[in-house]
Each structure stands twice: as structure tokens, then as C-alpha cells.
């Protein structure tokens, strides 16, 4: 029987890149801090990205496999040394190798490794990699797949494949090739892309067309054969341009000086070899998501300096909404200039999610022609580029998804680390007590609360709960002497270590948890290194009460999704919906008078927020202008209550600050799936 366990063991392919641990390597300049080892085996990475991921790269896939994205769609590539240590052996035994690709200098050692732990295709050196070897490997895997499918009684038609080792710009077509092979003429696809010089717009449109065909198969299944062919083609032709697809961007660049990494540059000169590695990460993720990859130019250090000034402004002063808005528009202009060959706003509006390989929080940016920051327009995942070596360690192999819901609800562990002697601790206690009380009778969520007075307490609490979905740490953010942004726990600066049993989701209710302006190593980065699948951190100091209430709304919305009250695919989608709804609260908490009005019922017993929700349901969301739309709707409600003049006067004189725009998700939050009860 071909079940999920058998499929993962027999039909998924694992590629091991082996480097020579004894080879002397010259140091070379690397702006994003990349090990020479990673650069030396770059061609092996690219070769692995041209190889089949699983059996369904050869045969027609089951309905829904490609329409839902991700899952098993990422190439499983491992970088290991030639040392036969226990860690490498355990890894190879866990993931049976399909092919060893090695540096020539350690070829004999890898032959010994292959003799002990054989791979399907044996060993090939990097010097031997070519289109010819690629075609040979595809053919060998195809023959093995035929035998396996026959063994398990699976009868499927084999697809026409196109195993050519692409170079330079042609590599951008790899996401199209893997998806297009399933749903079209691969030769015609490549001819079209080549004729348009692999234009991002053409790549996007062709990917959307393939995704729409995949979605039709998923929705109609075997009944598609009964649909009139002309009608189906007309439907695709008229609608494929608006088919949502994932957008993956790579955007290198950083500040001139990073204290925690002890690096200083006159200018961020990024060598072509390093750019190629960054491109690899973007294209690999675009393949797995069935999405489109866009390459951005290098962001200038001045943008990071401006971000650092913005963060410092919010830290030492009462935030000025107009200054913040000006800075966000400045970031937007810089971002648009980095993607000057395309209309970035158009791509964003046509995409279902954004995965950004960058050290800059692009969600803060307001693009020209829009009034909302990107975080209000599209769900965003951040994948830090620095250090680039870790970006490869974290991103190369597949990572399992984490599901919240499925009828079981989810569990949250909140650990309070603020000292009892601090004034803010009393406020935090009240806020988190409100959150726990609000969800006391909610069967979809269980919240556990602990107080850690020391690092020992904190780590013991984390390690004691292996059943937790989300970990929330309430603490002060701080810097150590090396410029690393950690958490203040029991008078010490704390960062998680690899030995910690970290849950899939970590939420840091702390200042400086993900600060980006100075390019330093942060506690958010450390949690990714410790094994977290997704980390939510803050770019600025946040109000402890507003943070707790935002978390309460987030927990509430997630619980309603898993209870079947809303449809929401992953946690970044849920987060965007929550912060968009939170715009109302950010306006209302601007002054005491507006806050008091927000708690007053009208003649029908309805609060302003309830009336706001009713109105929102009747209008289409103004994507890119939700803040303006919210102000307009709230103004209508305020006019009915005689509060419009006061509200507009407040907004015109001081405006409001949207703190929720300063939170960022890092890692793989798009792999945290929300599923309603079965």
C-alpha cells in the first residue's frame, strides 16, 4: 500500500553535497558572511535544484498536490563534510541518499561512504556535472520510479521532462519548469520564456496559468474530462492573470557596520558568486511554492541607517506619526527602485504571499501610489540573509509543516520574565491576566502561564512542555557588549541555544527582539538557529498592554479559524487579517476621549467596533489603502455619534501610530497551517 510513510521513504529524493573537510580554502570578502565552503560547492547546489524532487516529477500528480503548494515540493538537499562521524551517518540513515555530489579532492572518501551507505545513483564529482549527466540521472531515477510504482500497484502516465542544466538568467525558469511539466507543453513553455528573455512578468503569467489549471483539476478532479474543452480554455484565458501565486524576492544589502558580527565596509560590494547563492535560495523557495522569483538590486546602507534612526526615534521619543509615515514612504521608494524592471505593487497585489530573503523589514515600506505599508497588503515571511552560511543550513533541506487545529485546538505557553520590582510588570500581569480570562472557556485554545525569575527557570519551563504549539516570552529586550540583541532574564542577557527544545512557534513580546537597522544578531535569529519553525519579533519598543491585546486578538482569530468560523490558510495570512482589523483599535487608542467613545453603545446596544465590522462586511477591501478606508468608515460612525469633528481634529493634529506594522515573522511561518476541525 502506498501511504504517506512509504512515499516519504521510497519516493522522495535526497541529495547530499559532500565537501572536503581538510581542503585549505582562502578567505574571500563576503558582505553577508558566507563560508568559503558554501561558495565552493555552489554548482552542486544548482545541480541538485535541477534534479527530481519526488516520483510526481515524472508522472501526473494526484489532484491538489500542486494547487495547494509547498508540502513535499522543496528539494531535499544536505551539505555534509566527508567525515564519517555519527551525526552524518544518522542523517544519511534517516534520509536515504539518491546521489552523492562531491568535491574531487575527497572523491575516494565519498566512495567509501557510498560503499557503507549506498545511494541510488552513486557518486559524481562537481567537475563531472553537465547536462549530459543530468539527463542520465533523470533517466535512471525514472526507471527506478517505474519499478516502484509497479510494485505498489500505481499506474500513471509518465510525463515529458526536460533535463537540461540551465545557467545564468535561464535558472529563473526553474519554478515554471517543475510546475509546467505537469500542466502543459514544456518545450513550448521554454521557447516562450527564452523568446521574452525570461521576463519576470512573462514568468509570472505563465506560472499563474499553470496554477489555474492545477486548481481546476483540484476542484473538478476526474470530472474535468466532462467539461467542454473550449469553455475550459476560455475560462483559463479570461482569469489566469488574477490567479494568486506566491512571490519570492531576494534583496541583498545591509548597514556598513555590524557590531555583533564585527564587520565594517566602506560600501556593500557583493561579489557575483555571493549574489548567485542568494539567487539560489529565492529560486529554491519559488519552486517549492509554485511561485515566482524576483531579484532585487542591492539595498543601500543609507536605507538601513534611516531604519536605525526610525527605531531610535521611537525608542527615545513619543512616536511622531507623520515622521514615521515619511520614513515608510522613503523605504517604499528605495524598494521600488531595487525592482525597477517591474511594477512591484502590481506583483504584490497579484500574489497570495511574499517570502522575502533580506535583512530589511520590507513590510514597513509604503510603495509609490499606495498609502498602506506592505504588511497590510500581503502576508509576509522574512528569511534573514546574514549570516548567509546559516541561511543555507536553515533553508537547504525540507522542513515538516506544523498543523494547528484538526479538531484539537492549540496550546500556548506564556512565560513572564519581567522582574516584579519593575512598574511595567504590574501592567503586564493585568494584560496577560485579561488574555487568559478572555479565553478561559474557549475550547479551541489552552493557555498556560509561568513566571521565570532566572534563566534556569525559563529554560526549564520551555523544556518541560513538548506539546506546546506557541511559546510567548514576555521580557525586556536588551543588547550585550557585542551588540547582540537578546532578552533580559534574571539580570542576564539571554539567547536560546541549540540544546533547548523549542516549539514550532515563538512569539517574543519584547523590545529589540528583531531590530534590523544596525544589522546585528538578534534573539529572533537565535530562535531560528535553535530550531523554531516561525518566530514573531518586534522592530521597536511596543506598549506592553497593546502588545498583549494584539496577541489576544490573534489567539482569538486563530481559534475561530480552527473552529471553522473563518477560512485561512496559514499563520501569516491570519496575522495580516488581525493587524488589518487592529487599525480600528490603533485609531481609537490615540486619545482618552476616543477610547471612552469606543466603549459606548449606541441606541441599538452596539459598540463602535461592532458597527465598524458590520460596515466592513458590505464593502470590498481597498487593498493598498486599508488605513484610509478604515478612517473613512470610522468617520461615518463618529458622525452618527457626534464624534467626527473630534476624531478628525485628532488625526489631523497628531495622527496615529500603527505599532502592528513593526512586527515581523521570520523562518517558515507559511508552513504553519491552520485547519478547521474535521
Amino acid at each position: 500500500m502506498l501511504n504517506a510513510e512509504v512515499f516519504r521513504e521510497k519516493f522522495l529524493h535526497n541529495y547530499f553535497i559532500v565537501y572536503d573537510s581538510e581542503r585549505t580554502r582562502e578567505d574571500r570578502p563576503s558582505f553577508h558572511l558566507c563560508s568559503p565552503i558554501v561558495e565552493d560547492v555552489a554548482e552542486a547546489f544548482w545541480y541538485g535544484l535541477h534534479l527530481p524532487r519526488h516520483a510526481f516529477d515524472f508522472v501526473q500528480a494526484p489532484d491538489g498536490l500542486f494547487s495547494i503548494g509547498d508540502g513535499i515540493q522543496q528539494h531535499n538537499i544536505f551539505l555534509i563534510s566527508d567525515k564519517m562521524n555519527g551525526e552524518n551517518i544518522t542523517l544519511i540513515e534517516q534520509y536515504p541518499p539518491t546521489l552523492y555530489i562531491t568535491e574531487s579532492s575527497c572523491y575516494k572518501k565519498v566512495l567509501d561512504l557510498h560503499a557503507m551507505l549506498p545511494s541510488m545513483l552513486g557518486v559524481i564529482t562537481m567537475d563531472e556535472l553537465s547536462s549530459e549527466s543530468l539527463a542520465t540521472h533523470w533517466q535512471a531515477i525514472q526507471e527506478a520510479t517505474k519499478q516502484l510504482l509497479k510494485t505498489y500497484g500505481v499506474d500513471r502516465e509518465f510525463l515529458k521532462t526536460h533535463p537540461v542544466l540551465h545557467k545564468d538568467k535561464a535558472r529563473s525558469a526553474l519554478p515554471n519548469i517543475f510546475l509546467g511539466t505537469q500542466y502543459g507543453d514544456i518545450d513550448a513553455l521554454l521557447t516562450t520564456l527564452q523568446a521574452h528573455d525570461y521576463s519576470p512578468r512573462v514568468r509570472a503569467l505563465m506560472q499563474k496559468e499553470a496554477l489555474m489549471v492545477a486548481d481546476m483539476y483540484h476542484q473538478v478532479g476526474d470530472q474535468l474530462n466532462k467539461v467542454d474543452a473550449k469553455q475550459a480554455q476560455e475560462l483559463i484565458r479570461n482569469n489566469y492573470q488574477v490567479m494568486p501565486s506566491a512571490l519570492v524576492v531576494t534583496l541583498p544589502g545591509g548597514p556598513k557596520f555590524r557590531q555583533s558580527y564585527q564587520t565594517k565596509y566602506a560600501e556593500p560590494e557583493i561579489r557575483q558568486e555571493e549574489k548567485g547563492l542568494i539567487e539560489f535560495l529565492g529560486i529554491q523557495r519559488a519552486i517549492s511554492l509554485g511561485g515566482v522569483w524576483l531579484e532585487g538590486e542591492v539595498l543601500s546602507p543609507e536605507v538601513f541607517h534611516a531604519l536605525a534612526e526610525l527605531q531610535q526615534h521611537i525608542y527615545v521619543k513619543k512616536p511622531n506619526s507623520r515622521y514615521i509615515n515619511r520614513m515608510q514612504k522613503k523605504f517604499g521608494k528605495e524598494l521600488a527602485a531595487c525592482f525597477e524592471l517591474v511594477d512591484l505593487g502590481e506583483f504584490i497585489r497579484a500574489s497570495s504571499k511574499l517570502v522575502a530573503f533580506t535583512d530589511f523589514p520590507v513590510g514597513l515600506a509604503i510603495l509609490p501610489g499606495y498609502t498602506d505599508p506592505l504588511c497590510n497588503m500581503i502576508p509576509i515571511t522574512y528569511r534573514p540573509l546574514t549570516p548567509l552560511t546559516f541561511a543555507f543550513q536553515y533553508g537547504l533541506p525540507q522542513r515538516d509543516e506544523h498543523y494547528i487545529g484538526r479538531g484539537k485546538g492549540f496550546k500556548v505557553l506564556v512565560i513572564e520574565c519581567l522582574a516584579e520590582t519593575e512598574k511595567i510588570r504590574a501592567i503586564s500581569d493585568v494584560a496577560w491576566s485579561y488574555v487568559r480570562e478572555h479565553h478561559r472557556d474557549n475550547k479551541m485554545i489552552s493557555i498556560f502561564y509561568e513566571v521565570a525569575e532566572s534563566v534556569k527557570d525559563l529554560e526549564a519551563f520551555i523544556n518541560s512542555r513538548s506539546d506546546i504549539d506557541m511559546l510567548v516570552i514576555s521580557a525586556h529586550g536588551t543588547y550585550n557588549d557585542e551588540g547582540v540583541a537578546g532578552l533580559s532574564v534574571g539580570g542576564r542577557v539571554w539567547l536560546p541555544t541549540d540544546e533547548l527544545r523549542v516549539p514550532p512557534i515563538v512569539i517574543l513580546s519584547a523590545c529589540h527582539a528583531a531590530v534590523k537597522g544596525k544589522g546585528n544578531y538578534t534573539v529572533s535569529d537565535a530562535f531560528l538557529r535553535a530550531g523554531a519553525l516561525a518566530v514573531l519579533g518586534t522592530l521597536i519598543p511596543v506598549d506592553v498592554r497593546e502588545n498583549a491585546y494584539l496577541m489576544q486578538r490573534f489567539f482569538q482569530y486563530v481559534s475561530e479559524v480552527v473552529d471553522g468560523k473563518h477560512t485561512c490558510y496559514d499563520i501569516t495570512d491570519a496575522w495580516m487579517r488581525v493587524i488589518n482589523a487592529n487599525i480600528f483599535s490603533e485609531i481609537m487608542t490615540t486619545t482618552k476621549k476616543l477610547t471612552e467613545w469606543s466603549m459606548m453603545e449606541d441606541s441599538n446596544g452596539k459598540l463602535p467596533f461592532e458597527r465598524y465590522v458590520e460596515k466592513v462586511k458590505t464593502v470590498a477591501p481597498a487593498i493598498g489603502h486599508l488605513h484610509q478606508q478604515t478612517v473613512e468608515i470610522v468617520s461615518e460612525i463618529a458622525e452618527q455619534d457626534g464624534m467626527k469633528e473630534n476624531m478628525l481634529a485628532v488625526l489631523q493634529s497628531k495622527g496615529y501610530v500603527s505599532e502592528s506594522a513593526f512586527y515581523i515573522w521570520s523562518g517558515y511561518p507559511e508552513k504553519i497551517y491552520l485547519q478547521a476541525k474535521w
Side-chain angles (χ1 to χ4, degrees):
M1 181 180 177
L2 182 55
N3 55 33
E5 184 177 346
V6 170
F7 185 85
R8 284 188 176 274
E9 181 182 352
K10 302 288 187 181
F11 290 89
L12 289 182
H13 299 299
N14 308 302
Y15 304 106
F16 285 82
I17 316 299
V18 188
Y19 66 88
D20 185 347
S21 60
E22 298 179 356
R23 177 181 167 185
T24 301
R25 302 176 197 271
E26 293 183 2
D27 286 335
R28 58 208 78 169
S30 174
F31 184 81
H32 285 290
L33 307 182
C34 183
S35 162
I37 293 172
V38 175
E39 187 174 310
D40 287 343
V41 298
E43 289 306 312
F45 291 143
W46 282 112
Y47 191 85
L49 209 58
H50 285 74
L51 287 164
R53 300 162 293 177
H54 44 61
F56 292 119
D57 281 332
F58 293 99
V59 299
Q60 192 174 53
D63 296 335
L65 184 64
F66 287 88
S67 69
I68 59 176
D70 214 357
I72 59 169
Q73 307 295 26
Q74 180 164 316
H75 284 82
N76 215 18
I77 302 174
F78 300 94
L79 175 62
I80 62 171
S81 73
D82 59 357
K83 292 182 177 179
M84 301 288 285
N85 56 36
E87 183 180 354
N88 284 346
I89 291 172
T90 299
L91 184 66
I92 294 170
E93 289 176 339
Q94 184 178 357
Y95 299 96
T98 305
L99 175 67
Y100 293 113
I101 306 174
T102 179
E103 292 187 291
S104 300
S105 54
C106 59
Y107 177 64
K108 290 184 178 179
K109 286 186 179 180
V110 182
L111 283 178
D112 293 339
L113 173 62
H114 170 62
M116 185 176 73
L117 296 167
S119 72
M120 178 193 299
L121 302 176
V123 183
I124 187 171
T125 67
M126 288 179 53
D127 296 335
E128 298 173 295
L129 302 179
S130 66
S131 287
E132 289 73 21
S133 65
L134 184 68
T136 300
H137 286 145
W138 269 83
Q139 183 63 35
I141 298 173
Q142 178 171 305
E143 291 304 317
T145 302
K146 285 181 180 179
Q147 293 302 316
L148 273 174
L149 291 176
K150 186 177 180 180
T151 301
Y152 289 96
V154 179
D155 183 20
R156 289 184 180 270
E157 180 182 351
F158 273 71
L159 303 166
K160 181 179 181 181
T161 57
H162 193 89
V164 172
L165 191 59
H166 295 281
K167 299 287 185 180
D168 304 322
K169 191 179 291 187
R171 288 169 171 170
S172 66
L174 284 171
N176 298 85
I177 292 170
F178 278 97
L179 184 62
T181 299
Q182 283 280 332
Y183 301 105
D185 183 337
I186 188 63
D187 291 327
L189 181 148
L190 288 171
T191 299
T192 301
L193 289 175
Q194 189 173 13
H196 289 85
D197 198 27
Y198 303 97
S199 151
R201 182 175 178 81
V202 174
R203 285 191 283 112
L205 291 175
M206 297 190 77
Q207 197 76 327
K208 288 176 180 296
E209 185 174 7
L211 284 168
M212 187 164 186
V213 175
D215 189 61
M216 287 181 67
Y217 272 105
H218 181 48
Q219 298 296 331
V220 183
D222 294 338
Q223 301 300 311
L224 187 62
N225 294 328
K226 298 179 182 180
V227 177
D228 181 79
K230 288 186 178 180
Q231 288 183 349
Q233 291 172 3
E234 186 71 16
L235 181 66
I236 293 170
R237 187 161 49 249
N238 292 336
N239 295 282
Y240 76 92
Q241 295 188 42
V242 295
M243 180 72 190
S245 57
L247 178 63
V248 180
V249 301
T250 51
L251 189 64
K256 293 180 180 180
F257 173 64
R258 295 187 181 99
Q259 182 185 355
S260 61
Y261 295 112
Q262 298 182 336
T263 60
K264 188 173 184 179
Y265 298 91
E267 288 296 333
E269 294 182 9
I270 301 180
R271 293 178 302 111
Q272 193 58 46
E273 292 83 357
E274 188 171 352
K275 285 184 179 179
L277 289 168
I278 294 170
E279 290 171 10
F280 172 90
L281 292 172
I283 292 174
Q284 180 199 34
R285 196 70 189 113
I287 291 171
S288 61
L289 290 170
V292 178
W293 166 69
L294 291 182
E295 178 185 18
E297 296 297 323
V298 179
L299 267 175
S300 70
E302 286 71 26
V303 179
F304 286 86
H305 179 69
L307 174 61
E309 286 187 336
L310 173 61
Q311 291 170 328
Q312 184 67 12
H313 162 82
I314 295 173
Y315 180 66
V316 301
K317 299 179 180 179
K318 191 172 182 179
N320 182 300
S321 63
R322 287 187 172 80
Y323 170 73
I324 293 172
N325 189 259
R326 285 199 306 272
M327 295 299 285
Q328 288 179 296
K329 289 181 177 179
K330 178 179 180 178
F331 299 154
K333 288 181 180 178
E334 293 285 347
L335 193 61
C338 287
F339 295 92
E340 61 180 354
L341 297 179
V342 301
D343 182 340
L344 185 58
E346 179 188 28
F347 271 78
I348 294 291
R349 288 173 62 93
S351 301
S352 56
K353 66 184 69 175
L354 172 62
V355 178
F357 287 86
T358 182
D359 290 335
F360 189 82
V362 295
L364 281 179
I366 299 176
L367 293 175
Y370 298 89
T371 53
D372 285 339
L374 290 184
C375 63
N376 295 116
M377 294 176 63
I378 188 170
I380 302 177
T381 289
Y382 291 92
R383 294 282 294 280
L385 284 179
T386 306
L388 191 54
T389 300
F390 175 69
F392 268 80
Q393 292 171 338
Y394 188 79
L396 268 182
Q398 289 181 3
R399 288 188 171 263
D400 290 337
E401 303 82 8
H402 181 75
Y403 291 88
I404 290 179
R406 292 184 167 179
K408 298 184 297 184
F410 62 103
K411 297 179 180 180
V412 179
L413 172 61
V414 179
I415 303 179
E416 179 61 80
C417 299
L418 294 171
E420 286 189 2
T421 54
E422 296 186 59
K423 291 181 180 179
I424 196 174
R425 170 63 186 275
I427 299 172
S428 183
D429 285 345
V430 171
W432 286 112
S433 176
Y434 165 78
V435 173
R436 296 183 343 254
E437 181 63 25
H438 184 86
H439 292 287
R440 189 161 54 107
D441 298 323
N442 188 338
K443 295 180 180 179
M444 289 295 116
I445 177 173
S446 300
I447 299 179
F448 306 92
Y449 182 81
E450 302 286 357
V451 176
E453 297 181 353
S454 65
V455 166
K456 183 179 179 181
D457 288 346
L458 173 61
E459 293 181 345
F461 289 140
I462 294 173
N463 285 327
S464 68
R465 299 304 300 258
S466 60
D467 59 335
I468 291 299
D469 296 288
M470 299 185 192
L471 167 66
V472 181
I473 300 179
S474 173
H476 279 305
T478 188
Y479 291 96
N480 66 13
D481 294 339
E482 289 76 38
V484 174
L487 299 179
S488 177
V489 181
R492 291 172 53 188
V493 179
W494 177 81
L495 293 169
T497 62
D498 295 351
E499 290 75 32
L500 206 61
R501 289 206 300 268
V502 177
I505 307 165
V506 177
I507 297 175
L508 300 171
S509 295
C511 306
H512 313 304
V515 63
K516 296 292 182 182
K518 295 183 179 180
N520 286 322
Y521 187 69
T522 70
V523 64
S524 290
D525 301 324
F527 265 109
L528 293 180
R529 188 182 289 270
L533 193 57
V535 181
L536 181 66
T538 58
L539 296 165
I540 60 170
V542 293
D543 183 279
V544 65
R545 285 164 296 199
E546 292 304 315
N547 172 76
Y549 298 151
L550 181 60
M551 291 304 112
Q552 181 271 316
R553 295 178 188 114
F554 177 56
F555 297 155
Q556 179 68 37
Y557 187 79
V558 171
S559 72
E560 290 176 358
V561 171
V562 300
D563 197 28
K565 296 177 181 176
H566 310 289
T567 301
C568 187
Y569 191 55
D570 62 44
I571 207 166
T572 60
D573 188 10
W575 178 256
M576 185 190 72
R577 298 184 193 204
V578 170
I579 66 172
N580 284 347
N582 199 57
I583 297 171
F584 175 90
S585 298
E586 289 168 333
I587 295 171
M588 289 302 193
T589 53
T590 305
T591 66
K592 183 178 179 180
K593 189 169 184 178
L594 286 178
T595 302
E596 291 173 348
W597 170 55
S598 71
M599 294 183 286
M600 295 174 58
E601 296 179 346
D602 66 1
S603 57
N604 295 316
K606 294 181 179 179
L607 295 171
F609 181 71
E610 294 172 308
R611 294 150 67 190
Y612 165 75
V613 171
E614 289 179 354
K615 179 65 175 179
V616 165
K617 291 178 180 178
T618 67
V619 297
I623 305 300
H625 304 283
L626 285 172
H627 280 266
Q628 281 188 354
Q629 186 179 48
T630 302
V631 169
E632 291 169 2
I633 294 174
V634 175
S635 295
E636 291 178 17
I637 298 170
E639 186 172 26
Q640 296 166 9
D641 293 355
M643 285 290 295
K644 182 176 181 179
E645 186 175 336
N646 176 272
M647 191 194 90
L648 292 181
V650 169
L651 295 181
Q652 289 169 5
S653 63
K654 61 186 293 187
Y656 66 95
V657 175
S658 181
E659 277 194 0
S660 57
F662 290 85
Y663 289 76
I664 63 172
W665 281 104
S666 301
Y668 280 102
E670 72 275 21
K671 280 181 170 284
I672 309 289
Y673 297 132
L674 308 180
Q675 289 196 344
K677 54 188 177 183
W678 291 342

